[in-house]
Each structure stands twice: as C-alpha cells, then as structure tokens.
C-alpha cells in the first residue's frame, strides 16, 4: 500500500518508524517528507497497528513494519523478507508499484514536474523525466484513440 498509494521506495518503507505515523492528524512521514493520509491508508494502518499490538505486545522495536524475527530486536525487517516473501509468485514488484503510482499521478494531474516534485519529493531532474515520459505516453494514447489523425497529412500542401 505504501508503494502503490504513496510511491514510497522499499528502503523508505522498511525504515518507517512508529513515530512517523500520526493517525490523529492523518500525517505520515516517509523519508523525512510529511504526507497526508487518505482514508484507504488510514484504514490499513489502523488494521496493521492493531495486528502488530496483538501479535507482538511486548516488542520494543520502533519500526512500523516488523515480523517474527525483527520483533525481538530493534532493527527493520530484512530486505529479503520485505521485498521477496510478500510478493512471491506475483508479477509485480514494489518498485513497479511505486513507478506506476508516479505515472498515474502524472497522467491524472498533467505532466507537471513541479507537481510531481511537491507530491513525491522527487529531485527536479527526476520529476522532469517523469513529466516528459508522461507527455510521450499521453501523445501515444491520443494517437491510438484517433487513428484517423495518423493518416491525415500534416502539411496541406503535401496533397
């Protein structure tokens, strides 16, 4: 959910601490950037925190995501458990979910690099690259929806 909704990188998800979640103010801090918590994320976080308290009531681990192994320490869950175990047998990866979310935002709100940088905390060069890719994809989609536009000559004198 954090990769698919908030476009969070796997390392940033693993590093999330309980103090990064502010359910009362509906804020989530990912990689140092505060983000609003939507209803879906709020519900998932509530369910996870309830499960976490029930499953490991005495853990001192400050990380949001823990498992049977990490609950006995204070470190994050392992990369292998996090990235591989939960998505085993699936065609999707966390990185693909993250990139897809950024692309969806670009297609929904227009290929504006400033918007992307603000929403996802992207480096300006990365935001520009995403915006350029979205523009190209949008142009292709428009062309596919109106195949007649491909057949028409661009220059009226070319007839």
């Amino acid at each position: 959910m954090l990769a698919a909704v908030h476009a969070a990188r796997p390392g940033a998800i693993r590093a999330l601490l309980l103090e990064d979640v502010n359910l009362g103010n509906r804020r989530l801090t990912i990689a140092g950037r505060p983000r609003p918590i939507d209803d879906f994320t709020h519900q998932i976080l509530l369910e996870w925190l309830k499960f976490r308290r029930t499953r490991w009531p005495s853990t001192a681990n400050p990380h949001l995501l823990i498992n049977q192994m990490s609950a006995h320490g204070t470190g994050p869950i392992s990369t292998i458990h996090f990235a591989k175990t939960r998505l085993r047998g699936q065609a999707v990866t966390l990185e693909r979910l993250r990139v897809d979310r950024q692309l969806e935002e670009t297609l929904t709100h227009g290929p504006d690099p400033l918007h992307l940088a603000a929403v996802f905390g992207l480096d300006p060069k990365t935001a520009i690259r995403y915006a350029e890719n979205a523009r190209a994809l949008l142009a292709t989609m428009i062309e596919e929806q109106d195949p007649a536009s491909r057949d028409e000559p661009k220059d009226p004198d070319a007839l």
Side-chain angles (χ1 to χ4, degrees):
M1 173 271 306
L2 293 169
V5 174
H6 296 279
R9 293 183 179 278
I13 296 170
R14 286 181 59 238
L16 280 172
L17 301 174
L18 290 170
E19 67 186 32
D20 294 327
V21 178
N22 184 338
L23 293 173
N25 290 328
R26 295 179 80 100
R27 305 294 292 169
L28 175 65
T29 303
I30 301 174
R33 268 189 83 73
R35 307 171 145 274
I37 296 178
D38 59 286
D39 291 338
F40 176 69
T41 302
H42 189 261
Q43 185 60 39
I44 296 294
L45 286 171
L46 283 173
E47 290 173 14
W48 167 251
L49 290 170
K50 180 180 177 185
F51 171 78
R52 185 184 189 278
R53 272 191 312 275
T54 303
R55 179 77 168 96
W56 301 287
S58 301
T59 186
N61 193 315
H63 289 86
L64 176 64
L65 301 181
I66 59 175
N67 62 13
Q68 187 173 343
M69 297 298 289
S70 66
H72 300 291
T74 57
I77 58 176
S78 72
T79 304
I80 291 171
H81 174 80
F82 181 67
K84 306 267 190 290
T85 308
R86 295 293 175 208
L87 296 175
R88 185 175 292 144
Q90 304 295 318
V92 71
T93 65
L94 291 175
E95 188 62 19
R96 287 174 98 180
L97 287 171
R98 184 184 72 79
V99 169
D100 185 62
R101 172 63 184 101
Q102 290 172 333
L103 180 60
E104 187 270 337
E105 182 74 18
T106 305
L107 294 174
T108 301
H109 295 281
D112 178 6
L114 292 176
H115 175 76
L116 289 174
V119 171
F120 298 117
L122 297 175
D123 177 79
K125 289 180 183 177
T126 303
I128 290 168
R129 193 174 68 242
Y130 274 116
E132 288 171 351
N133 289 340
R135 277 189 200 96
L137 184 59
L138 284 169
T140 302
M141 289 169 60
I142 289 169
E143 197 172 284
E144 288 175 355
Q145 287 178 353
D146 187 14
S149 68
R150 286 184 291 186
D151 299 334
E152 294 176 9
K154 303 290 184 231
D155 180 10
D157 296 331
L159 294 176

